Amino acid sequence: MTDDSNLADDSNLTDDSNFAEGLQRWRHSYSAAPIADRDFTTLSGSTVEPLYWPAEPDSRFARIGWPGQYPFTRGIHPTGYRGKPWTIRQFAGFGSAAQTNERYKMILGEGGGGLSVAFDMPTLMGRDSDEERSIGEVGHCGVAIDSAADMEILFDGIDLATTTTSMTISGPAVAVFCMYVVAAERQGVAVDRLNGTLQTDIFKEYIAQKEWIYPPEPQLKLIGDLMEYVGAKMPAYKPVSVSGYHIREAGATAAQELAFTLAAGFGYVELGLSRGLDIEKFAPGLSFFFDAHIDFFEEIAKFRAARRVWARWLRDVYGAKTDRAQWLRFHTQTAGVSLTAQQPENNIVRTAVEAMAAVLGGTNSLHTNALDEVLALPSAKAAQIALRTQQVIAEETGVLNVADPLGGSWYVEALTDQLEAEAEAIFARIRELGGDSTITSGLLRGIENGWFIGEIADSAFTYQLELERGAKRVVGVNTLTGDIGETLPIMRVSHEVETQQRDVLAKRRANRDGAAVAAALQRLLDAATRGENLVEPMLAAVRVETTLGELCQVLRPLWGDYHEPVRF
């Protein structure tokens, strides 16, 4: 790592010569990039330029810059969305793999650009559907996946060589990733053709979402193994998606979401470096996942600050030299916590506002929540409305025409600077917690002593008090509560899903080669005991239909379970 005492010093970019050089580089990059064949005029027919900038630089410009150039405040691509719009990636999963497969085909058929898998609670916790702890939870908050056969069904008729797939899972992520790879193999797809994202962000599980299996050190060992495997065999795949979404949903402020998320990202950079990996090669495989909350301008500023802070730390602290290694690529999901059970139709408006903030902040992909998600899993109709919300924004509003259209706004730039400063103060505190100047030590210490949990709880409590006093208002909840709407029909997952999944799993166990499963599990345990990379032995176990619960359970005697600290 290099010295970071002057992280914010980019003053050499403000003089006239550098301004002119930056403009020339942007013009050259824009001209050389592919541009979509679309109409770039306003609704009234006026021609729109691809970018707008001041007539001459001012003191702010070094921090704003040009699209596609460091510090990437205005976006990582010189063309903005003229070259490629954001990917419409709707998060979905419920019931059985066959039921979710039908929903995926609907999403792709209606214009979705990629898939994002939601798993049920047993899967998220590394449990099989027939375990006692899984009773009543199978298929209810996502799709049930017990072995590679379920993953085959999940993507039946969907070409994994051409469909990018995100999987939101962390504790048992490597095992589920292996099932995805084996499903692709059974389609005849070579592993090096797979493209997508695995969440794998164990830091945010300890900080906010609470879906872990093992203590932090062995979980980080698995993530390091995955980074090595993907770096060697899957050039397009992103093995880690650092998630701020669940941190924000737990009650964090925008600044806390920004800082805790980027700090976790720095932790994974330090993990890659500790494995001897080349930062220029593995850093582009780190992606991010942010919340788009209801405060429109604060969210736009948060996304812009995230790109700038990440680029600066990657360059100045960790020594990354190439643009691709300094880029922050991120997926956004609109805020589930902003949705209300009261007057649920208002959630369509909230989602549209949040989606627009994500787009104006330069998101690379986007999920829009359905109006009924506060009550249940989305119905097909609600899911279509959520999808169409993105499509209306893309096709009708003109936001694709201009890169970073709010760049230079006094308000947006001030908010961007403010969030950046607040994040830097939090990074300093995390480093103090660790005591050795690394972010990783601070993260682990803050998890161990409950610091992150306490910070988020305090923020959530403060907001709740403001809501109950009426200082913060939510339409339909503490203001404008009159409702003439009808009761919203909601989708319910039948208990039959659980009983059928348990029956299918029992038959699958009876028909597989039990001796091969036992031998594969022993080889996996032996490799873990020796400290070897576990991806290949886990793949071998998955190929003989070893279940998720079996894969996770075999390592528990070696690694133990994790129990979070009690904090009052």
Side-chain angles (χ1 to χ4, degrees):
M1 292 188 293
T2 56
D3 177 61
D4 62 320
S5 58
N6 295 306
L7 281 178
D9 184 11
D10 290 312
S11 56
N12 64 314
L13 300 178
T14 60
D15 61 59
D16 290 345
S17 62
N18 280 297
F19 180 85
E21 290 171 8
L23 176 57
Q24 184 177 3
R25 285 197 305 272
W26 173 78
R27 283 175 167 157
H28 175 76
S29 299
Y30 179 84
S31 299
I35 304 298
D37 183 16
R38 288 199 308 270
D39 170 54
F40 297 118
T41 64
T42 68
L43 194 63
S44 302
S46 300
T47 300
V48 175
E49 299 297 328
L51 182 69
Y52 291 84
W53 60 86
E56 57 185 31
D58 60 26
S59 60
R60 302 176 303 156
F61 197 76
R63 304 177 67 74
I64 302 172
W66 305 95
Q69 296 179 35
Y70 181 89
F72 307 107
T73 311
R74 306 196 72 182
I76 63 175
H77 300 302
T79 55
Y81 291 131
R82 285 196 178 198
K84 181 182 182 298
W86 68 91
T87 299
I88 297 176
R89 189 184 302 282
Q90 291 298 95
F91 185 50
F94 64 93
S96 68
Q99 290 172 309
T100 300
N101 175 264
E102 292 178 7
R103 178 65 60 86
Y104 288 166
K105 288 176 178 175
M106 183 275 283
I107 290 170
L108 294 172
E110 293 287 338
L115 298 176
S116 183
V117 184
F119 297 100
D120 69 357
M121 187 58 69
T123 305
L124 291 169
M125 300 303 294
R127 302 283 179 179
D128 288 334
S129 295
D130 58 359
E131 293 188 39
E132 184 176 359
R133 293 190 181 187
S134 300
I135 293 173
E137 296 288 347
V138 176
H140 280 273
C141 69
V143 62
I145 299 293
D146 288 308
S147 74
D150 291 314
M151 199 70 82
E152 276 189 275
I153 297 167
L154 186 67
F155 296 116
D156 180 52
I158 297 170
D159 184 4
L160 290 176
T162 58
T163 305
T164 62
T165 302
S166 171
M167 296 189 289
T168 302
I169 192 165
S170 295
V174 177
V176 170
F177 164 83
C178 289
M179 293 178 186
Y180 164 75
V181 170
V182 170
E185 290 175 349
R186 292 174 182 177
Q187 282 190 3
V189 176
V191 66
D192 61 359
R193 296 184 64 196
L194 294 175
N195 190 359
T197 305
L198 189 68
Q199 187 159 100
T200 334
D201 178 10
I202 201 62
F203 285 128
K204 66 91 178 174
E205 298 297 343
Y206 301 121
I207 291 170
Q209 197 176 12
K210 317 300 184 186
E211 290 164 359
W212 55 68
I213 300 175
Y214 313 113
E217 288 77 6
Q219 289 276 188
L220 290 172
K221 182 254 189 300
L222 281 171
I223 296 170
D225 290 351
L226 182 68
M227 291 171 68
E228 287 182 351
Y229 178 87
V230 168
K233 296 180 179 292
M234 301 172 68
Y237 197 83
K238 295 174 180 57
V240 180
S241 175
V242 191
S243 176
Y245 186 85
H246 308 91
I247 292 170
R248 189 66 179 280
E249 294 284 292
T253 65
Q256 288 172 330
E257 178 196 1
L258 174 64
F260 294 172
T261 307
L262 294 186
F266 300 149
Y268 297 122
V269 171
E270 292 173 3
L271 175 62
L273 293 173
S274 74
R275 290 288 188 110
L277 301 178
D278 183 350
I279 194 169
E280 309 298 341
K281 294 180 179 178
F282 79 78
L286 301 175
S287 64
F288 289 80
F289 175 23
F290 287 111
D291 194 292
H293 220 298
I294 194 64
D295 192 315
F296 186 70
F297 292 104
E298 183 176 57
E299 295 303 292
I300 295 168
K302 179 186 74 182
F303 300 133
R304 299 172 83 251
R307 278 192 298 269
R308 187 160 74 204
V309 172
W310 181 256
R312 189 172 62 244
W313 274 67
L314 266 287
R315 186 192 71 172
D316 295 349
V317 178
Y318 299 112
K321 295 179 173 59
T322 61
D323 285 353
R324 289 184 62 81
Q326 297 168 10
W327 284 353
L328 182 141
R329 306 165 185 79
F330 67 97
H331 172 74
T332 310
Q333 180 173 339
T334 55
V337 75
S338 74
L339 306 181
T340 66
Q342 301 92 331
Q343 302 177 18
E345 291 82 3
N346 296 341
N347 294 332
I348 299 173
V349 181
R350 294 185 179 101
T351 294
V353 170
E354 293 161 0
M356 183 65 88
V359 170
L360 291 175
T363 192
N364 301 107
S365 62
L366 178 62
H367 164 89
T368 33
N369 288 330
L371 71 113
D372 54 358
E373 285 191 58
V374 69
L375 299 168
L377 292 165
S379 68
K381 180 65 175 177
Q384 185 187 57
I385 292 171
L387 177 64
R388 290 287 186 257
T389 299
Q390 290 199 53
Q391 292 166 332
V392 168
I393 291 172
E395 301 294 340
E396 299 183 27
T397 65
V399 294
L400 301 180
N401 293 346
V402 180
D404 189 34
L406 294 181
S409 157
W410 293 110
Y411 181 39
V412 170
E413 298 300 348
L415 277 176
T416 303
D417 291 348
Q418 177 183 325
L419 285 166
E420 179 181 13
E422 291 180 34
E424 289 290 349
I426 294 172
F427 299 149
R429 176 61 179 137
I430 292 172
R431 278 180 155 174
E432 289 176 6
L433 287 171
D436 66 357
S437 82
T438 68
I439 290 291
T440 301
S441 293
L443 288 167
L444 293 175
R445 180 59 178 162
I447 290 165
E448 179 185 347
N449 68 15
W451 181 78
F452 290 103
I453 296 171
E455 292 292 296
I456 294 171
D458 288 346
S459 296
F461 183 67
T462 298
Y463 174 76
Q464 187 63 30
L465 287 179
E466 292 175 345
L467 188 68
E468 292 179 8
R469 287 201 309 264
K472 301 293 186 185
R473 296 186 179 185
V474 177
V475 172
V477 177
N478 65 352
T479 186
L480 304 172
T481 55
D483 189 2
I484 59 174
E486 299 177 355
T487 302
L488 192 71
I490 61 174
M491 189 183 83
R492 300 188 185 277
V493 175
S494 169
H495 178 67
E496 292 179 0
V497 168
E498 181 170 321
T499 57
Q500 290 171 0
Q501 184 70 17
R502 292 164 70 96
D503 291 344
V504 167
L505 182 55
K507 291 176 183 177
R508 196 175 297 161
R509 289 186 201 273
N511 293 330
R512 69 186 183 178
D513 185 340
V517 170
L521 286 171
Q522 186 60 53
R523 286 193 292 270
L524 175 61
L525 180 59
D526 291 345
T529 303
R530 293 189 296 266
E532 298 173 359
N533 190 301
L534 299 185
V535 177
E536 288 288 5
M538 198 169 284
L539 279 167
V542 168
R543 291 186 183 109
V544 295
E545 221 61 47
T546 306
T547 68
L548 178 63
E550 291 165 342
L551 290 167
C552 296
Q553 181 58 36
V554 75
L555 297 171
R556 280 191 170 94
L558 179 65
W559 288 346
D561 290 302
Y562 177 73
H563 303 279
E564 71 176 333
V566 177
R567 182 183 175 97
F568 295 98

